[in-house]
Amino acid sequence: MLKEENENILDDIFNKILTGKKIIIDPTVLNNDYIPNYLPFREKQITSIGQSLALILKGNKSSNLLLYGKTGTGKTVVARYITEKLIERVNNINLIVAYSNTRISNTGYRILLDLANAINLDIPFTGLSIGEVLKRLSDHISKEKYFIILILDEIDYFTKTHGDNLLYDLTRSNENLHPGFLSIIGISNDLNFKEYLNPRVLSSLGEEEIVFPPYTAIEIKSILEKRADIAFENGAISQAAISLCSALAGSEHGDARRAVDLLRIAAEVAEREEANKVEEKHVRIAVQRIERDRNYDALISLPLQQKIILISILKSNSNCTTGDVYQNYRDICKKIGIEILTQRRISGILSELDLLGLITANVVNHGRYGRTKKIRNLVSSQIIREAFKEDQTLSNLL
DNA sequence: CCTCCACTGGAAACCTAGGCTC
DNA sequence: GAGCCTAGGTTTCCAGTGGAGG
């Protein structure tokens, strides 16, 4: 009996998927890592980068490049697009494109691991000195005569937290490569990134600098229309929905990635509702979903101590200071039997959470009442609760 | 003008996990 | 397996700070 009932439910779901209204016919076009055949409004940038990298076709080293621009201005996709085309055209050369997002690979060692993976070199995930890893990498590159383009995404984030020593080592490593070479494409969201660099690093890393201006709302609309043409069934999206996506993304510093995300999630919402068409209301739901998902992902991947501190902030009042948070933090640790870290460390973690955009921690002076960080939580408590629900140690605190 | 709060944030020392050499 | 090394996280120590209140 039960078995049959279960089967009926599943049959319903499967049938719905197969016969139901279909809005999306090609979902890949809406993915973040999709690389279109044509990148509009970026001709100037493609030309400069292309000219620079074209030297590789003749077996010469290309300059290191720095790409600047806010999120969603096409830096990463342009870099990937050009390097992909380059690989297609190259012959007699072992060209390898390695990619590392330094926000995800957030230590020097992990960045080098990304590079090692790209060239099929086995490196233990810990235990070696950076110097030793660099040496093994350059030995391997020379041995295999690799020409390498290393794309370092969100390089500003890494430099702010770890300094520029690794970048210096990488830019200098060409001196040890005979034959082979290593070119770096640094991608930065922060236009003032250069200030964090030592002049010696800047001069070699920033041999060429290319700026990606934000897209205008009209440009975003045009990009969306092209994607929608491929992704959706004919007439399955209203003009108003596209306009709204572009307007929302355009008002936030011309972020095309966000616009495409909105479009994809709006379409998913519409499909689930079994609507015929993506409408404005679906886009409005998508706005909330995106905000929620972004924070949710950041929260669940946080280390335990960071999670506890977020809960401590939640339990403090809205205008709390480092001292308040630390008090609550100690109480919680005692309650659940977790080792208590020092206030100095908590102060540092608060700064890290600020950098992640989960809280704001501004240093304020209260005159004779001292100097501290004023801390404010940026994520809704509901999302925090939901994200930490899975965590055995924390679930009963909330 | 001076004091003094409640920290900040730099620097160095320490700890731990893991690889390397012999 | 002992004894070495390093990266990354943490602790320890402490000089420094901007302004409210005297």
Side-chain angles (χ1 to χ4, degrees), chain A residues 110-272:
Chain A
R110 282 169 213 158
I111 291 172
L112 295 180
L113 270 186
D114 286 338
L115 176 55
N117 281 334
I119 59 175
N120 284 321
L121 176 65
D122 257 346
I123 300 265
F125 72 93
T126 174
L128 298 183
S129 69
I130 293 283
E132 174 64 21
V133 177
L134 277 167
K135 185 176 169 302
R136 289 191 191 189
L137 281 167
S138 43
D139 286 353
H140 190 69
I141 293 169
S142 289
K143 195 177 121 222
E144 304 287 337
K145 303 191 179 69
Y146 281 138
F147 283 33
I148 293 177
I149 301 175
L150 175 60
I151 302 177
L152 294 175
D153 211 344
E154 307 203 48
I155 192 175
D156 47 328
Y157 184 82
F158 179 78
T159 315
K160 273 177 211 166
T161 45
H162 293 83
D164 58 4
N165 281 337
L166 181 77
L167 296 181
Y168 179 66
D169 291 340
L170 281 172
T171 52
R172 267 200 28 186
S173 63
N174 272 302
E175 291 163 19
N176 305 323
L177 300 177
H178 312 286
F181 71 71
L182 175 70
S183 289
I184 296 173
I185 301 182
I187 298 181
S188 165
N189 292 324
D190 183 355
L191 300 169
N192 301 318
F193 161 64
K194 282 199 283 187
E195 289 167 18
Y196 298 90
L197 291 181
N198 211 305
R200 53 175 198 178
V201 179
L202 185 59
S203 67
S204 74
L205 190 64
E207 284 168 333
E208 276 188 58
E209 299 179 11
I210 292 140
V211 176
F212 286 65
Y215 293 109
T216 63
I218 297 166
E219 287 170 345
I220 290 185
K221 195 171 169 201
S222 148
I223 293 170
L224 284 187
E225 279 166 352
K226 287 207 177 64
R227 297 269 183 117
D229 269 352
I230 313 173
F232 296 136
E233 193 74 55
N234 236 345
I237 180 151
S238 70
Q239 266 300 309
I242 292 194
S243 298
L244 181 58
C245 286
S246 354
L248 285 170
S251 67
E252 245 187 73
H253 65 254
D255 184 341
R257 184 188 310 165
R258 186 174 156 80
V260 175
D261 282 345
L262 276 172
L263 199 60
R264 184 187 66 246
I265 293 178
E268 285 168 10
V269 171
E271 273 199 342
R272 203 158 303 167

Side-chain angles (χ1 to χ4, degrees), chain A residues 13-27:
Chain A
I13 296 175
F14 294 160
N15 287 334
K16 213 173 260 177
I17 289 285
L18 287 172
T19 62
K21 299 260 161 40
K22 228 178 149 193
I23 291 178
I24 307 174
I25 46 176
D26 185 357

Side-chain angles (χ1 to χ4, degrees), chain A residues 46-149:
Chain A
I46 292 177
T47 312
S48 340
I49 301 172
Q51 277 169 352
S52 174
L53 295 186
L55 293 174
I56 294 175
L57 292 172
K58 286 189 156 184
N60 297 318
K61 180 192 181 304
S62 65
S63 325
N64 295 322
L65 303 173
L66 266 184
L67 316 187
Y68 291 107
K70 300 221 163 126
T71 39
T73 50
K75 305 175 299 293
T76 309
V77 73
V78 163
R80 291 197 132 157
Y81 173 79
I82 298 176
T83 48
E84 241 175 47
K85 297 283 169 202
L86 197 62
I87 286 183
E88 283 172 18
R89 285 294 292 277
V90 94
N91 46 20
N92 303 326
I93 293 174
N94 263 337
L95 178 64
I96 301 258
V97 177
Y99 175 87
S100 181
N101 183 320
T102 65
R103 189 190 281 271
I104 295 161
S105 303
N106 58 355
T107 67
Y109 200 99
R110 282 169 213 158
I111 291 172
L112 295 180
L113 270 186
D114 286 338
L115 176 55
N117 281 334
I119 59 175
N120 284 321
L121 176 65
D122 257 346
I123 300 265
F125 72 93
T126 174
L128 298 183
S129 69
I130 293 283
E132 174 64 21
V133 177
L134 277 167
K135 185 176 169 302
R136 289 191 191 189
L137 281 167
S138 43
D139 286 353
H140 190 69
I141 293 169
S142 289
K143 195 177 121 222
E144 304 287 337
K145 303 191 179 69
Y146 281 138
F147 283 33
I148 293 177
I149 301 175

Side-chain angles (χ1 to χ4, degrees), chain A residues 17 19 81 104 135 166 207 246 289 297 309 321 323 333 336 346 374 387 391:
Chain A
I17 289 285
T19 62
Y81 173 79
I104 295 161
K135 185 176 169 302
L166 181 77
E207 284 168 333
S246 354
R289 275 269 304 277
D297 290 345
I309 289 169
T321 64
C333 284
I336 59 179
I346 300 311
K374 193 175 120 196
D391 202 316

